[in-house]
Amino acid sequence: FGIKTNITTSDGEQLNCSIEESDRLKRLSQQMNRRQKKGSNNRWKTVLKIRKEYEKINNKKNDISNKLVNYLCTKYRLVFMQDENLSGWHKGLFGKQVQHSFMGRVKSKLKAQKSVQIIDRFFPSTKMCQKCGIINDNMTLNDRVFTCECGYSEDRDIKAAKTILLEGKRISSYIPTE
């Protein structure tokens, strides 16, 4: 999961999952703000229209998230996903991007699938080089290309997806001894 491209696979496929507020909803919200008298019939009618518009947006988000989860689970035999703190992203700098996206729905639906394995949220997938294993602590959110001392360089999101795939394979092949 990411902010710029919402979902990135280890194949390099980047999927955006966000639905912006419709122009009609913005216009209805402006109308609602202009309605002075609380409890009036016109204000109540505007509230009902706003609810209906939010319901349409909600239905679109549910439909696309179902299709996206189905696509990921049918294309890949195993799916490895890092357990991201999306609510922390929402409270931070990226509130609107997370608000318009439906990554939380996709995350919860993927967690319910049997073919999905979760990687720990504190695993340094973005900062760790998958070739040499060195952790680059100097990475910032503005750095879109990962470069390592060993000479490895790749797009940050694709490299993180490949690192999560390697970690997932390592964890799933682990068989504890008795």
Side-chain angles (χ1 to χ4, degrees):
F1 290 109
I3 294 295
K4 191 168 185 173
T5 55
N6 297 131
I7 297 175
T8 305
T9 65
S10 58
D11 299 342
E13 189 175 5
Q14 296 180 333
L15 307 166
N16 285 323
C17 52
S18 66
I19 294 179
E20 298 290 326
E21 289 180 350
S22 65
D23 291 334
R24 183 169 193 264
L25 181 62
K26 291 176 185 176
R27 191 176 64 250
L28 287 170
S29 295
Q30 288 174 352
Q31 281 181 6
M32 182 66 179
N33 290 335
R34 278 187 254 129
R35 306 272 187 234
Q36 297 290 328
K37 189 174 179 185
K38 292 189 178 183
S40 68
N41 283 337
N42 285 337
R43 186 179 174 99
W44 179 246
K45 287 177 189 177
T46 308
V47 167
L48 291 177
K49 288 177 185 176
I50 289 173
R51 283 184 190 168
K52 197 171 192 177
E53 195 63 29
Y54 271 118
E55 188 176 351
K56 285 181 184 178
I57 292 171
N58 226 3
N59 289 341
K60 284 181 188 177
K61 287 180 179 181
N62 282 333
D63 180 50
I64 296 173
S65 64
N66 286 336
K67 289 177 182 177
L68 184 62
V69 169
N70 183 37
Y71 170 75
L72 290 173
C73 290
T74 54
K75 185 174 180 182
Y76 303 105
R77 188 176 57 85
L78 275 175
V79 176
F80 300 106
M81 175 182 79
Q82 191 165 9
D83 187 21
E84 297 289 350
N85 182 17
L86 296 178
S87 62
W89 292 2
H90 195 302
K91 292 175 187 171
L93 300 172
F94 308 107
K96 247 187 189 172
Q97 288 98 327
V98 176
Q99 174 88 25
H100 293 302
S101 75
F102 43 89
M103 291 188 294
R105 295 170 203 239
V106 172
K107 178 182 168 183
S108 65
K109 288 177 184 182
L110 280 174
K111 279 185 172 182
Q113 300 291 323
K114 292 180 181 176
S115 63
V116 176
Q117 292 186 352
I118 308 297
I119 306 297
D120 184 41
R121 119 179 357 177
F122 299 108
F123 177 72
S125 61
T126 306
K127 296 182 178 185
M128 188 172 114
C129 179
Q130 65 188 35
K131 300 291 183 187
C132 63
I134 294 176
I135 295 177
N136 183 0
D137 287 327
N138 299 332
M139 290 278 299
T140 63
L141 289 174
N142 292 332
D143 298 332
R144 299 311 308 163
V145 177
F146 177 84
T147 52
C148 183
E149 299 168 1
C150 68
Y152 177 71
S153 178
E154 191 172 15
D155 179 70
R156 172 193 181 123
D157 294 335
I158 296 171
K159 187 223 60 87
K162 288 179 180 178
T163 307
I164 289 172
L165 176 66
L166 288 174
E167 178 67 10
K169 286 181 178 178
R170 187 188 67 79
I171 290 173
S172 65
S173 66
Y174 173 71
I175 301 171
T177 57
E178 291 183 19

